[in-house]
Amino acid sequence: QVQLVETGGGSVQAGGSLRLSCAASGGTFTRNVVGWFRQAPGKEREFVAAVWRIGNPWYGDSVKGRFTISRDNTKNTVNLQMSSLKQDGTAVYFCAAGNNLLERTPGSYDLWGRGTQVTVST
């Protein structure tokens, strides 16, 4: 049974960088879209980025120009390179997969990882 596992979270100073990875455990990515969301305590999940099998990636307005999502099909992973991190980057970051065209909506994804914590200090 395929599962998504996020790695790479940790603590970083504001302005620094982190690279998150989402790996398909027990199988490969068969769904059409893989996305990243983040959720801070007491807040709803926020769309971060998504990448389809074909086409340009999508980014949330708050991270556009600073984050980069990419696929590594040879390793069955999807990565999220985060640069110029700000305090609002402190959250649990989730990897998700689905087949819905509304890639910015959490409900469009039916497979979720457990999340990895990112803490940005000032």
Side-chain angles (χ1 to χ4, degrees), residues 87-106:
Q87 189 174 5
D88 64 1
T90 296
V92 177
Y93 285 71
F94 296 91
C95 177
N99 292 306
N100 199 289
L101 290 173
L102 302 177
E103 71 281 341
R104 297 174 180 266
T105 304

Side-chain angles (χ1 to χ4, degrees), residues 47-83:
F47 172 75
V48 176
V51 61
W52 294 81
R53 293 184 181 274
I54 300 175
N56 295 323
W58 295 76
Y59 297 97
D61 291 338
S62 63
V63 306
K64 192 175 300 182
R66 299 183 296 114
F67 290 12
T68 302
I69 187 171
S70 61
R71 292 177 293 192
D72 188 343
N73 296 127
T74 63
K75 297 182 176 65
N76 293 318
T77 61
V78 174
N79 301 315
L80 182 69
Q81 178 66 47
M82 305 185 296
S83 300

